[in-house]
mmCIF file of all heavy atoms in Angstrom:
data_model
loop_
_atom_site.group_PDB
_atom_site.id
_atom_site.type_symbol
_atom_site.label_atom_id
_atom_site.label_comp_id
_atom_site.label_asym_id
_atom_site.label_seq_id
_atom_site.Cartn_x
_atom_site.Cartn_y
_atom_site.Cartn_z
ATOM 1 N N GLU A 49 0.763 3.121 8.319
ATOM 2 C CA GLU A 49 -0.010 3.274 7.103
ATOM 3 C C GLU A 49 -1.496 3.236 7.379
ATOM 4 O O GLU A 49 -2.230 4.035 6.823
ATOM 5 C CB GLU A 49 0.392 2.131 6.104
ATOM 6 C CG GLU A 49 -0.259 2.249 4.761
ATOM 7 C CD GLU A 49 0.234 1.205 3.808
ATOM 8 O OE1 GLU A 49 1.365 1.324 3.317
ATOM 9 O OE2 GLU A 49 -0.545 0.249 3.572
ATOM 10 N N GLU A 50 -1.929 2.354 8.249
ATOM 11 C CA GLU A 50 -3.338 2.298 8.603
ATOM 12 C C GLU A 50 -3.769 3.535 9.308
ATOM 13 O O GLU A 50 -4.892 4.066 9.058
ATOM 14 C CB GLU A 50 -3.622 1.054 9.475
ATOM 15 C CG GLU A 50 -5.074 0.902 9.920
ATOM 16 C CD GLU A 50 -6.035 0.750 8.764
ATOM 17 O OE1 GLU A 50 -5.712 0.161 7.738
ATOM 18 O OE2 GLU A 50 -7.174 1.257 8.878
ATOM 19 N N MET A 51 -2.981 4.054 10.175
ATOM 20 C CA MET A 51 -3.263 5.286 10.903
ATOM 21 C C MET A 51 -3.420 6.468 9.919
ATOM 22 O O MET A 51 -4.379 7.248 10.005
ATOM 23 C CB MET A 51 -2.131 5.532 11.880
ATOM 24 C CG MET A 51 -2.290 6.669 12.843
ATOM 25 S SD MET A 51 -0.873 6.675 13.985
ATOM 26 C CE MET A 51 0.501 6.920 12.917
ATOM 27 N N VAL A 52 -2.514 6.571 8.950
ATOM 28 C CA VAL A 52 -2.607 7.628 7.963
ATOM 29 C C VAL A 52 -3.827 7.434 7.100
ATOM 30 O O VAL A 52 -4.558 8.412 6.805
ATOM 31 C CB VAL A 52 -1.303 7.665 7.127
ATOM 32 C CG1 VAL A 52 -1.451 8.646 5.941
ATOM 33 C CG2 VAL A 52 -0.122 8.068 7.957
ATOM 34 N N PHE A 53 -4.116 6.190 6.724
ATOM 35 C CA PHE A 53 -5.305 5.892 5.914
ATOM 36 C C PHE A 53 -6.586 6.324 6.649
ATOM 37 O O PHE A 53 -7.472 6.925 6.060
ATOM 38 C CB PHE A 53 -5.327 4.414 5.531
ATOM 39 C CG PHE A 53 -6.415 4.092 4.540
ATOM 40 C CD1 PHE A 53 -6.267 4.436 3.200
ATOM 41 C CD2 PHE A 53 -7.581 3.447 4.913
ATOM 42 C CE1 PHE A 53 -7.249 4.140 2.273
ATOM 43 C CE2 PHE A 53 -8.569 3.147 3.999
ATOM 44 C CZ PHE A 53 -8.391 3.499 2.665
ATOM 45 N N GLN A 54 -6.645 6.027 7.956
ATOM 46 C CA GLN A 54 -7.834 6.408 8.737
ATOM 47 C C GLN A 54 -7.950 7.922 8.802
ATOM 48 O O GLN A 54 -9.066 8.483 8.763
ATOM 49 C CB GLN A 54 -7.751 5.805 10.128
ATOM 50 C CG GLN A 54 -8.058 4.308 10.126
ATOM 51 C CD GLN A 54 -8.131 3.716 11.530
ATOM 52 O OE1 GLN A 54 -8.388 4.387 12.503
ATOM 53 N NE2 GLN A 54 -7.860 2.430 11.635
ATOM 54 N N GLU A 55 -6.816 8.581 8.895
ATOM 55 C CA GLU A 55 -6.818 10.068 8.922
ATOM 56 C C GLU A 55 -7.299 10.593 7.571
ATOM 57 O O GLU A 55 -8.071 11.580 7.534
ATOM 58 C CB GLU A 55 -5.433 10.622 9.283
ATOM 59 C CG GLU A 55 -5.336 12.100 9.352
ATOM 60 C CD GLU A 55 -6.144 12.714 10.540
ATOM 61 O OE1 GLU A 55 -6.688 11.977 11.355
ATOM 62 O OE2 GLU A 55 -6.166 13.981 10.590
ATOM 63 N N MET A 56 -6.854 9.975 6.513
ATOM 64 C CA MET A 56 -7.309 10.426 5.198
ATOM 65 C C MET A 56 -8.821 10.289 5.115
ATOM 66 O O MET A 56 -9.487 11.214 4.566
ATOM 67 C CB MET A 56 -6.667 9.544 4.111
ATOM 68 C CG MET A 56 -5.196 9.747 3.917
ATOM 69 S SD MET A 56 -4.385 8.434 2.918
ATOM 70 C CE MET A 56 -5.255 8.554 1.369
ATOM 71 N N ARG A 57 -9.353 9.239 5.632
ATOM 72 C CA ARG A 57 -10.808 9.040 5.639
ATOM 73 C C ARG A 57 -11.492 10.072 6.526
ATOM 74 O O ARG A 57 -12.575 10.589 6.163
ATOM 75 C CB ARG A 57 -11.177 7.655 6.111
ATOM 76 C CG ARG A 57 -11.979 6.858 5.088
ATOM 77 C CD ARG A 57 -12.394 5.539 5.607
ATOM 78 N NE ARG A 57 -11.300 4.888 6.312
ATOM 79 C CZ ARG A 57 -11.381 3.674 6.830
ATOM 80 N NH1 ARG A 57 -12.463 2.990 6.729
ATOM 81 N NH2 ARG A 57 -10.353 3.148 7.484
ATOM 82 N N SER A 58 -10.924 10.310 7.703
ATOM 83 C CA SER A 58 -11.612 11.214 8.658
ATOM 84 C C SER A 58 -11.662 12.630 8.192
ATOM 85 O O SER A 58 -12.579 13.360 8.537
ATOM 86 C CB SER A 58 -10.946 11.126 10.030
ATOM 87 O OG SER A 58 -9.765 11.938 10.076
ATOM 88 N N ILE A 59 -10.665 13.060 7.424
ATOM 89 C CA ILE A 59 -10.702 14.420 6.899
ATOM 90 C C ILE A 59 -11.331 14.487 5.519
ATOM 91 O O ILE A 59 -11.320 15.517 4.882
ATOM 92 C CB ILE A 59 -9.293 15.069 6.870
ATOM 93 C CG1 ILE A 59 -8.377 14.282 5.936
ATOM 94 C CG2 ILE A 59 -8.727 15.171 8.264
ATOM 95 C CD1 ILE A 59 -7.037 14.959 5.680
ATOM 96 N N GLU A 60 -11.945 13.355 5.124
ATOM 97 C CA GLU A 60 -12.628 13.245 3.829
ATOM 98 C C GLU A 60 -11.705 13.682 2.703
ATOM 99 O O GLU A 60 -12.083 14.441 1.821
ATOM 100 C CB GLU A 60 -13.956 14.036 3.850
ATOM 101 C CG GLU A 60 -14.907 13.474 4.844
ATOM 102 C CD GLU A 60 -16.236 14.244 4.899
ATOM 103 O OE1 GLU A 60 -16.462 15.121 4.047
ATOM 104 O OE2 GLU A 60 -17.003 13.956 5.816
ATOM 105 N N TYR A 61 -10.464 13.209 2.761
ATOM 106 C CA TYR A 61 -9.504 13.529 1.754
ATOM 107 C C TYR A 61 -9.875 12.798 0.452
ATOM 108 O O TYR A 61 -9.920 11.562 0.404
ATOM 109 C CB TYR A 61 -8.127 13.036 2.238
ATOM 110 C CG TYR A 61 -7.023 13.267 1.226
ATOM 111 C CD1 TYR A 61 -6.517 14.546 0.981
ATOM 112 C CD2 TYR A 61 -6.518 12.200 0.511
ATOM 113 C CE1 TYR A 61 -5.502 14.727 0.054
ATOM 114 C CE2 TYR A 61 -5.502 12.368 -0.417
ATOM 115 C CZ TYR A 61 -5.020 13.633 -0.670
ATOM 116 O OH TYR A 61 -4.013 13.837 -1.561
ATOM 117 N N LEU A 62 -10.263 13.544 -0.475
ATOM 118 C CA LEU A 62 -10.651 12.988 -1.781
ATOM 119 C C LEU A 62 -9.437 12.977 -2.669
ATOM 120 O O LEU A 62 -9.043 14.006 -3.220
ATOM 121 C CB LEU A 62 -11.773 13.825 -2.428
ATOM 122 C CG LEU A 62 -13.036 13.927 -1.566
ATOM 123 C CD1 LEU A 62 -14.016 14.892 -2.219
ATOM 124 C CD2 LEU A 62 -13.645 12.559 -1.367
ATOM 125 N N ASP A 63 -8.800 11.832 -2.712
ATOM 126 C CA ASP A 63 -7.553 11.706 -3.410
ATOM 127 C C ASP A 63 -7.738 11.660 -4.918
ATOM 128 O O ASP A 63 -8.290 10.690 -5.450
ATOM 129 C CB ASP A 63 -6.841 10.451 -2.903
ATOM 130 C CG ASP A 63 -5.409 10.372 -3.439
ATOM 131 O OD1 ASP A 63 -4.942 11.248 -4.161
ATOM 132 O OD2 ASP A 63 -4.759 9.345 -3.137
ATOM 133 N N THR A 64 -7.264 12.680 -5.570
ATOM 134 C CA THR A 64 -7.385 12.712 -7.023
ATOM 135 C C THR A 64 -6.417 11.661 -7.623
ATOM 136 O O THR A 64 -6.508 11.371 -8.790
ATOM 137 C CB THR A 64 -6.997 14.118 -7.557
ATOM 138 O OG1 THR A 64 -5.685 14.444 -7.105
ATOM 139 C CG2 THR A 64 -8.007 15.161 -7.093
ATOM 140 N N GLN A 65 -5.533 11.145 -6.818
ATOM 141 C CA GLN A 65 -4.593 10.129 -7.274
ATOM 142 C C GLN A 65 -5.142 8.732 -7.169
ATOM 143 O O GLN A 65 -4.506 7.778 -7.619
ATOM 144 C CB GLN A 65 -3.318 10.177 -6.387
ATOM 145 C CG GLN A 65 -2.425 11.376 -6.577
ATOM 146 C CD GLN A 65 -1.753 11.292 -7.917
ATOM 147 O OE1 GLN A 65 -2.024 12.130 -8.775
ATOM 148 N NE2 GLN A 65 -0.913 10.349 -8.106
ATOM 149 N N LYS A 66 -6.364 8.561 -6.601
ATOM 150 C CA LYS A 66 -6.888 7.193 -6.373
ATOM 151 C C LYS A 66 -6.848 6.352 -7.621
ATOM 152 O O LYS A 66 -6.371 5.245 -7.609
ATOM 153 C CB LYS A 66 -8.281 7.263 -5.767
ATOM 154 C CG LYS A 66 -8.766 5.796 -5.458
ATOM 155 C CD LYS A 66 -10.045 5.751 -4.754
ATOM 156 C CE LYS A 66 -10.599 4.366 -4.492
ATOM 157 N NZ LYS A 66 -9.884 3.223 -4.916
ATOM 158 N N ASN A 67 -7.414 6.896 -8.711
ATOM 159 C CA ASN A 67 -7.407 6.128 -9.962
ATOM 160 C C ASN A 67 -5.976 5.840 -10.444
ATOM 161 O O ASN A 67 -5.707 4.742 -10.906
ATOM 162 C CB ASN A 67 -8.166 6.866 -11.051
ATOM 163 C CG ASN A 67 -9.674 6.850 -10.774
ATOM 164 O OD1 ASN A 67 -10.171 5.992 -10.056
ATOM 165 N ND2 ASN A 67 -10.371 7.799 -11.311
ATOM 166 N N ALA A 68 -5.096 6.786 -10.279
ATOM 167 C CA ALA A 68 -3.705 6.583 -10.677
ATOM 168 C C ALA A 68 -3.039 5.535 -9.781
ATOM 169 O O ALA A 68 -2.284 4.672 -10.266
ATOM 170 C CB ALA A 68 -2.906 7.898 -10.584
ATOM 171 N N ASP A 69 -3.368 5.568 -8.480
ATOM 172 C CA ASP A 69 -2.789 4.545 -7.578
ATOM 173 C C ASP A 69 -3.348 3.147 -7.869
ATOM 174 O O ASP A 69 -2.647 2.163 -7.790
ATOM 175 C CB ASP A 69 -3.047 4.948 -6.118
ATOM 176 C CG ASP A 69 -2.314 6.238 -5.758
ATOM 177 O OD1 ASP A 69 -1.198 6.473 -6.321
ATOM 178 O OD2 ASP A 69 -2.782 6.993 -4.901
ATOM 179 N N ASP A 70 -4.660 3.075 -8.195
ATOM 180 C CA ASP A 70 -5.218 1.785 -8.573
ATOM 181 C C ASP A 70 -4.531 1.276 -9.840
ATOM 182 O O ASP A 70 -4.219 0.072 -9.947
ATOM 183 C CB ASP A 70 -6.720 1.925 -8.845
ATOM 184 C CG ASP A 70 -7.536 2.149 -7.606
ATOM 185 O OD1 ASP A 70 -7.000 1.943 -6.458
ATOM 186 O OD2 ASP A 70 -8.717 2.534 -7.716
ATOM 187 N N LYS A 71 -4.257 2.166 -10.764
ATOM 188 C CA LYS A 71 -3.601 1.774 -12.014
ATOM 189 C C LYS A 71 -2.161 1.352 -11.740
ATOM 190 O O LYS A 71 -1.685 0.371 -12.336
ATOM 191 C CB LYS A 71 -3.629 3.016 -12.950
ATOM 192 C CG LYS A 71 -3.196 2.713 -14.369
ATOM 193 C CD LYS A 71 -3.362 3.960 -15.211
ATOM 194 C CE LYS A 71 -3.020 3.653 -16.661
ATOM 195 N NZ LYS A 71 -3.206 4.829 -17.516
ATOM 196 N N ARG A 72 -1.488 2.061 -10.831
ATOM 197 C CA ARG A 72 -0.127 1.681 -10.440
ATOM 198 C C ARG A 72 -0.103 0.307 -9.780
ATOM 199 O O ARG A 72 0.838 -0.502 -9.988
ATOM 200 C CB ARG A 72 0.490 2.714 -9.506
ATOM 201 C CG ARG A 72 0.905 4.026 -10.228
ATOM 202 C CD ARG A 72 1.388 5.097 -9.280
ATOM 203 N NE ARG A 72 2.411 4.661 -8.366
ATOM 204 C CZ ARG A 72 2.670 5.257 -7.192
ATOM 205 N NH1 ARG A 72 1.952 6.275 -6.808
ATOM 206 N NH2 ARG A 72 3.636 4.835 -6.433
ATOM 207 N N ALA A 73 -1.128 -0.023 -8.986
ATOM 208 C CA ALA A 73 -1.221 -1.351 -8.357
ATOM 209 C C ALA A 73 -1.388 -2.415 -9.411
ATOM 210 O O ALA A 73 -0.716 -3.472 -9.349
ATOM 211 C CB ALA A 73 -2.383 -1.383 -7.349
ATOM 212 N N ARG A 74 -2.236 -2.166 -10.406
ATOM 213 C CA ARG A 74 -2.414 -3.149 -11.492
ATOM 214 C C ARG A 74 -1.112 -3.279 -12.296
ATOM 215 O O ARG A 74 -0.748 -4.410 -12.718
ATOM 216 C CB ARG A 74 -3.563 -2.761 -12.371
ATOM 217 C CG ARG A 74 -4.946 -2.981 -11.717
ATOM 218 C CD ARG A 74 -6.083 -2.813 -12.702
ATOM 219 N NE ARG A 74 -6.179 -1.488 -13.311
ATOM 220 C CZ ARG A 74 -6.766 -0.421 -12.772
ATOM 221 N NH1 ARG A 74 -7.263 -0.520 -11.563
ATOM 222 N NH2 ARG A 74 -6.771 0.715 -13.366
ATOM 223 N N ALA A 75 -0.405 -2.165 -12.495
ATOM 224 C CA ALA A 75 0.876 -2.229 -13.230
ATOM 225 C C ALA A 75 1.925 -3.069 -12.456
ATOM 226 O O ALA A 75 2.659 -3.802 -13.074
ATOM 227 C CB ALA A 75 1.375 -0.840 -13.481
ATOM 228 N N LEU A 76 1.906 -2.927 -11.134
ATOM 229 C CA LEU A 76 2.828 -3.721 -10.321
ATOM 230 C C LEU A 76 2.521 -5.208 -10.487
ATOM 231 O O LEU A 76 3.424 -6.014 -10.705
ATOM 232 C CB LEU A 76 2.659 -3.339 -8.840
ATOM 233 C CG LEU A 76 3.417 -4.174 -7.776
ATOM 234 C CD1 LEU A 76 4.911 -4.009 -7.996
ATOM 235 C CD2 LEU A 76 3.048 -3.774 -6.407
ATOM 236 N N ARG A 77 1.218 -5.530 -10.470
ATOM 237 C CA ARG A 77 0.823 -6.921 -10.655
ATOM 238 C C ARG A 77 1.241 -7.434 -12.074
ATOM 239 O O ARG A 77 1.814 -8.486 -12.173
ATOM 240 C CB ARG A 77 -0.689 -7.045 -10.506
ATOM 241 C CG ARG A 77 -1.219 -8.447 -10.851
ATOM 242 C CD ARG A 77 -2.711 -8.479 -11.008
ATOM 243 N NE ARG A 77 -3.097 -7.677 -12.179
ATOM 244 C CZ ARG A 77 -4.351 -7.293 -12.409
ATOM 245 N NH1 ARG A 77 -5.325 -7.635 -11.627
ATOM 246 N NH2 ARG A 77 -4.593 -6.579 -13.502
ATOM 247 N N ASP A 78 0.971 -6.604 -13.068
ATOM 248 C CA ASP A 78 1.221 -7.018 -14.436
ATOM 249 C C ASP A 78 2.697 -7.078 -14.760
ATOM 250 O O ASP A 78 3.144 -7.889 -15.586
ATOM 251 C CB ASP A 78 0.524 -6.074 -15.439
ATOM 252 C CG ASP A 78 -1.004 -6.151 -15.268
ATOM 253 O OD1 ASP A 78 -1.506 -7.126 -14.644
ATOM 254 O OD2 ASP A 78 -1.694 -5.218 -15.761
ATOM 255 N N LYS A 79 3.495 -6.235 -14.074
ATOM 256 C CA LYS A 79 4.948 -6.219 -14.303
ATOM 257 C C LYS A 79 5.627 -7.497 -13.852
ATOM 258 O O LYS A 79 6.569 -7.985 -14.444
ATOM 259 C CB LYS A 79 5.543 -5.038 -13.592
ATOM 260 C CG LYS A 79 7.046 -4.895 -13.733
ATOM 261 C CD LYS A 79 7.560 -3.716 -12.936
ATOM 262 C CE LYS A 79 9.086 -3.663 -12.940
ATOM 263 N NZ LYS A 79 9.593 -2.660 -11.981
#
Side-chain angles (χ1 to χ4, degrees):
E49 186 175 284
E50 179 60 34
M51 186 175 60
V52 172
F53 188 74
Q54 287 184 24
E55 181 68 3
M56 290 167 60
R57 238 185 317 184
S58 80
I59 63 173
E60 297 179 9
Y61 177 75
L62 301 174
D63 188 2
T64 56
Q65 289 289 114
K66 183 174 178 0
N67 288 338
D69 294 330
D70 290 345
K71 191 176 184 178
R72 286 174 52 204
R74 287 190 300 278
L76 174 65
R77 175 194 64 193
D78 297 344
K79 180 181 172 190

